[in-house]
Amino acid sequence: MNALFPAGFRWGSATAAYQIEGAAAEDGRTPSIWDTFSRTPGNVRNGDTGDIAADHYHRMREDVALMKEVGLTDYRFSLSWPRIQPTGRGPAVQKGLDFYRALADELLEAGIRPVATLYHWDLPQELEDAGGWPERATAERFAEYTSLAAEALGDRIATWTTLNEPWCAAFLGYGSGVHAPGRTDGPAALRAAHHLNLAHGLAARVLRGALPAGTEISLTLNVHAIRALSDSPEDRDAARRIDAVGNRIFLDPVFHGRLPDDLVADTAALTDWSFVHDGDLETISAPIDSLGVNYYSPAVVAAGTSESPSPWPGAADRVRFVPAPGPRTAMDWPVDPEGLYELLVRLRDELPGVPLLITENGAAYDDYADPEGEVHDPERVAYLDAHLAAAHRAIAAGADVRGYFLWSLLDNFEWAYGYGKRFGIVHVDFASQRRTPKDSARWYAEVIARGGLLR
């Protein structure tokens, strides 16, 4: 019997602007923090940059044709802030907006719903030079940018996501420094997390006021699936600490209008949280229409200490991360679909009435084209099949999961890993920009056409 998903289930794939677009200095675009970071020697493997990436800016129609071939109902992409508003201030650049208008039109012509993310980590460098996300003004600039995008694209795009994975932007960018802008300052990372929350709230308010009734407004979080190594009080406290700074620092303000008391206590040596102003939490907690959930693998934690500099301010001196057992991807991430099930069921219980979208899930493997030009990726097919099965079980258990967006459509610039890690269901030869659908693309097309899995 097939494991069929509910009628109207959204079958998508996802990308991010800096990872695929290229055209880094064309049509008025100016550097983002990722341009600066990737061009700084030692930050990205092999010195790779997103200057060309998958050249999607010039090959957009070819890529939409591939989406149509797979049968996607939805395509989740991000808008490049420095392509639309190059310095993070002032009027929009029409050529930048024209690209996204053309993309949305091409998607709609193909019968594919455009799902736009306003921020996937490409902060205009000039705003970072002015202090970046640790400064409140950056959230205010983000609201202005949101207004420009909504005015230009609101007639074409009915699903908007404010932020993608603000945890990574705050804590990998300003805490551990392994992502742009590469700063290592725990208190600044905590300020950045709050101002990203505030940016979400301000942007959601702008979208509500500017867009037609019925427009879907969302936020995407990489909610961590956390397991304590043992049931000891020390290990359970380690899991609590990581949950506070990894999950509840976003979930509690957005959905409950509060800061977690234990997070404030855990970080008291770093900050007094005076940067949270009166009215901020009310702005942040305005209702949204869905929550995007990104999941790749769980985290197993125990009492101990983490590396320094750490992306876990308030927890690094009490928590160590333990490698999970089982098979691993090329990213050295464990393959654990049960973690996705656990996460969706947790959100079912904690956020009743909030529809969920799995906005990223996928795996990197060492793919290559064989002499016949085919790309066989059975490990990826197995990974995707197992995680979709876990999502199906969660739906059967009452989780309101409305869609699945596979990461990623194309092999791309994988942040600090450069071009050495391939997540796509379409292989990209970066020298020629030739696209080759992998076996996983054909498998996913069959899943979509069937509406579920073969079992």
Side-chain angles (χ1 to χ4, degrees), residues 52 144 207 226 313 326 338 352 366 381 383 445:
I52 299 173
E144 295 166 5
L207 294 171
I226 301 161
E338 190 64 22
D366 295 324
V381 169
Y383 177 101

Side-chain angles (χ1 to χ4, degrees), residues 9-233:
F9 192 78
R10 299 163 68 174
W11 296 101
S13 189
T15 64
Y18 188 71
Q19 293 182 271
I20 67 167
E21 283 183 4
E26 291 187 36
D27 293 337
R29 185 187 180 278
T30 57
S32 74
I33 54 174
W34 267 99
D35 294 279
T36 302
F37 184 83
S38 65
R39 293 169 188 167
T40 302
N43 283 343
V44 176
R45 291 187 184 181
N46 302 316
D48 292 339
T49 74
D51 287 359
I52 299 173
D55 198 29
H56 174 71
Y57 191 76
H58 300 113
R59 298 169 185 267
M60 175 268 289
R61 288 177 174 82
E62 177 185 357
D63 293 339
V64 174
L66 287 167
M67 300 175 210
K68 185 175 181 179
E69 185 179 324
V70 172
L72 300 185
T73 66
D74 291 64
Y75 172 55
R76 177 177 177 256
F77 59 96
S78 75
L79 308 177
S80 169
W81 190 348
R83 194 178 296 288
I84 291 175
Q85 191 190 35
T87 65
R89 297 179 176 85
V93 171
Q94 289 306 310
K95 285 187 176 180
L97 289 173
D98 286 345
F99 171 73
Y100 296 111
R101 290 187 184 105
L103 170 59
D105 289 346
E106 195 78 7
L107 290 166
L108 292 168
E109 179 67 23
I112 300 169
R113 181 187 291 110
V115 178
T117 299
L118 283 158
Y119 187 73
H120 199 132
W121 309 350
D122 49 359
L123 183 71
Q125 181 61 44
E126 288 199 22
L127 293 185
E128 173 59 26
D129 293 342
W133 285 112
E135 298 300 321
R136 186 180 188 87
T138 305
E140 296 165 350
R141 300 291 82 73
F142 184 70
E144 295 166 5
Y145 152 66
T146 298
S147 181
L148 296 175
E151 180 181 358
L153 301 166
D155 60 339
R156 293 165 166 85
I157 297 170
T159 297
W160 293 76
T161 300
T162 55
L163 309 174
N164 178 79
E165 296 186 349
W167 184 87
C168 294
F171 295 107
L172 300 183
Y174 295 92
S176 65
V178 299
H179 277 193
R183 289 163 62 178
T184 54
D185 182 339
L190 292 166
R191 294 198 305 274
H194 174 66
H195 293 138
L196 282 155
N197 277 338
L198 181 61
H200 157 74
L202 292 171
R205 178 189 294 168
V206 168
L207 294 171
R208 285 274 182 239
L211 299 178
T215 298
E216 180 182 19
I217 298 172
S218 189
L219 166 71
T220 284
L221 302 176
N222 56 317
V223 186
H224 298 77
I226 301 161
R227 298 173 185 154
L229 181 64
S230 77
D231 199 41
S232 72

Side-chain angles (χ1 to χ4, degrees), residues 230-253:
S230 77
D231 199 41
S232 72
E234 295 81 8
D235 287 355
R236 284 189 283 111
D237 186 64
R240 178 200 60 75
R241 285 175 176 270
I242 295 300
D243 188 57
V245 77
N247 293 335
R248 288 182 284 113
I249 192 171
F250 301 105
L251 291 171
D252 279 20

Side-chain angles (χ1 to χ4, degrees), residues 164-385:
N164 178 79
E165 296 186 349
W167 184 87
C168 294
F171 295 107
L172 300 183
Y174 295 92
S176 65
V178 299
H179 277 193
R183 289 163 62 178
T184 54
D185 182 339
L190 292 166
R191 294 198 305 274
H194 174 66
H195 293 138
L196 282 155
N197 277 338
L198 181 61
H200 157 74
L202 292 171
R205 178 189 294 168
V206 168
L207 294 171
R208 285 274 182 239
L211 299 178
T215 298
E216 180 182 19
I217 298 172
S218 189
L219 166 71
T220 284
L221 302 176
N222 56 317
V223 186
H224 298 77
I226 301 161
R227 298 173 185 154
L229 181 64
S230 77
D231 199 41
S232 72
E234 295 81 8
D235 287 355
R236 284 189 283 111
D237 186 64
R240 178 200 60 75
R241 285 175 176 270
I242 295 300
D243 188 57
V245 77
N247 293 335
R248 288 182 284 113
I249 192 171
F250 301 105
L251 291 171
D252 279 20
V254 171
F255 293 102
H256 305 299
R258 66 188 182 221
L259 283 172
D261 291 340
D262 59 332
L263 172 70
V264 173
D266 291 345
T267 57
L270 299 172
T271 181
D272 62 3
W273 293 86
S274 59
F275 48 83
V276 180
H277 294 187
D278 289 347
D280 282 3
L281 292 169
E282 182 181 0
T283 297
I284 293 165
S285 62
I288 58 176
D289 302 304
S290 61
L291 173 66
V293 180
N294 292 355
Y295 172 83
Y296 293 93
S297 60
V300 180
V301 299
T305 58
S306 293
E307 77 283 355
S308 182
S310 170
W312 305 99
D317 61 339
R318 306 285 184 91
V319 179
R320 65 185 174 95
F321 288 79
V322 181
R328 309 182 88 76
T329 71
M331 297 289 287
D332 198 32
W333 296 347
V335 178
D336 192 330
E338 190 64 22
L340 177 60
Y341 174 82
E342 294 168 1
L343 192 57
L344 295 173
V345 169
R346 169 188 174 169
L347 295 171
R348 173 203 68 188
D349 294 341
E350 294 187 6
L351 304 176
V354 178
L356 305 175
L357 297 167
I358 301 168
T359 37
E360 287 184 27
N361 176 242
Y365 289 104
D366 295 324
D367 307 320
Y368 60 91
D370 68 15
E372 287 73 41
E374 297 289 319
V375 182
H376 305 297
D377 55 344
E379 292 173 307
R380 180 174 292 103
V381 169
Y383 177 101
L384 296 170
D385 183 89

